[in-house]
Amino acid sequence: MNAQKLSKRLETVAKFVPTGAVVADIGSDHAYLPCYLIHKGVATRAVAGEVVKGPFESAVGQVKKEGLTEKITVRLADGLAAVEAADKVDTVTIAGMGGPLIVSILEKHPESLHNVTRLILQPNIHAKVIREWALANNWAIQDEAILEEDEKIYEIVVLQRGAMKLTEAEILFGPKLMLRKESAFVQKWTREKQNWQRVLQSIEGAEQTVEIDAKRAELTHLLNLVEGVL
């Protein structure tokens, strides 16, 4: 992977960036995504934010190597603290972290989202918490994607400002994803279903306690949900 050829995962993230956008890529690592977006003429300007010194220095070096120092600003900062009002960022990408960490980044510096109209979020795990955050913070799901790369399955959630309503199943599975039922979606949730069945089977002979009963009820409920979708 490099600034000219992204991984399948980051290339899918890039597809959701609107043409003409001013992008902030949080946790940018080598700044491959911002460089790619500028090279492709998708973004007009970009901020690459990185909280760790090593990756920050890698991003600085990459931007210089690509000749994009006039278009991309690299900042060493904690999450959205990398975004300044003068940047006029309208699109934020956060990829390659767990869902809870992405939510914590969004919540820590909400003022940095003032001019932002689109969030493109790629959680490695627990996409559900991103949908819950969106519901509570007046963001609506504009689109979703799911893909497999290197034997891992990734979800991407694209948010625009606005209210929405989601059912419990839609929060867990993703409203767009559960309608499309692509192969990666079926694979992911078939695997989860099998895991839940194994755990349920393992506690069937366990001593009756409040905790065991609660776990059994939770697993049974999840299995009913997933069977209604697959």
Side-chain angles (χ1 to χ4, degrees):
M1 184 171 71
N2 53 50
Q4 307 292 333
K5 177 65 177 173
L6 298 179
S7 65
K8 182 181 175 183
R9 174 179 64 88
L10 284 183
E11 191 174 18
T12 307
V13 169
K15 286 177 182 175
F16 291 110
V17 176
T19 301
V22 180
V23 178
D25 184 39
I26 305 304
S28 197
D29 202 3
H30 288 79
Y32 288 152
L33 179 58
C35 290
Y36 176 89
L37 292 169
I38 298 292
H39 281 316
K40 292 292 184 181
V42 177
T44 56
R45 287 182 292 110
V47 174
E50 184 53 64
V51 71
V52 180
K53 190 175 181 184
F56 163 75
E57 290 170 347
S58 295
V60 170
Q62 188 66 43
V63 170
K64 284 181 181 175
K65 178 184 172 185
E66 301 294 328
L68 296 175
T69 53
E70 296 297 312
K71 296 280 189 178
I72 300 174
T73 302
V74 185
R75 294 199 182 107
L76 182 64
D78 181 14
L80 286 168
V83 178
E84 298 176 0
D87 298 325
K88 292 186 166 52
V89 165
D90 53 48
T91 302
V92 169
T93 57
I94 309 177
M97 308 175 199
L101 178 55
I102 291 175
V103 166
S104 72
I105 288 170
L106 295 170
E107 290 180 337
K108 195 166 185 180
H109 297 282
E111 69 283 355
S112 295
L113 296 175
H114 183 69
N115 295 314
V116 174
T117 56
R118 178 171 291 200
L119 299 171
I120 305 166
L121 310 173
Q122 182 268 298
N124 288 349
I125 54 171
H126 303 315
K128 175 188 174 186
V129 298
I130 288 175
R131 298 186 188 100
E132 290 171 336
W133 176 87
L135 267 175
N137 290 274
N138 212 36
W139 288 86
I141 294 174
Q142 196 264 338
D143 208 344
E144 295 176 299
I146 189 166
L147 63 127
E148 182 181 7
E149 184 174 45
D150 298 332
E151 299 183 354
K152 293 182 181 178
I153 293 176
Y154 301 101
E155 292 181 47
I156 297 166
V157 183
V158 184
L159 302 175
Q160 300 272 121
R161 291 193 180 272
M164 66 173 173
K165 292 182 179 179
L166 296 177
T167 64
E168 183 184 5
E170 287 171 333
I171 291 171
L172 181 59
F173 304 112
K176 310 283 187 183
L177 301 180
M178 62 188 282
L179 285 175
R180 296 178 190 140
K181 290 187 176 65
E182 296 168 73
S183 59
F185 177 89
V186 174
Q187 185 181 337
K188 172 187 170 75
W189 291 107
T190 299
R191 194 182 299 161
E192 288 292 341
K193 176 184 172 182
Q194 290 167 347
N195 288 338
W196 293 334
Q197 286 172 329
R198 273 195 293 270
V199 176
L200 185 60
Q201 192 173 14
S202 73
I203 64 173
E204 280 305 327
E207 183 183 347
Q208 296 284 336
T209 66
V210 173
E211 290 80 9
I212 290 293
D213 286 345
K215 188 65 177 177
R216 185 182 291 110
E218 177 194 6
L219 289 166
T220 301
H221 181 61
L222 287 170
L223 286 166
N224 287 336
L225 284 176
V226 78
E227 283 164 6
V229 168
L230 291 177

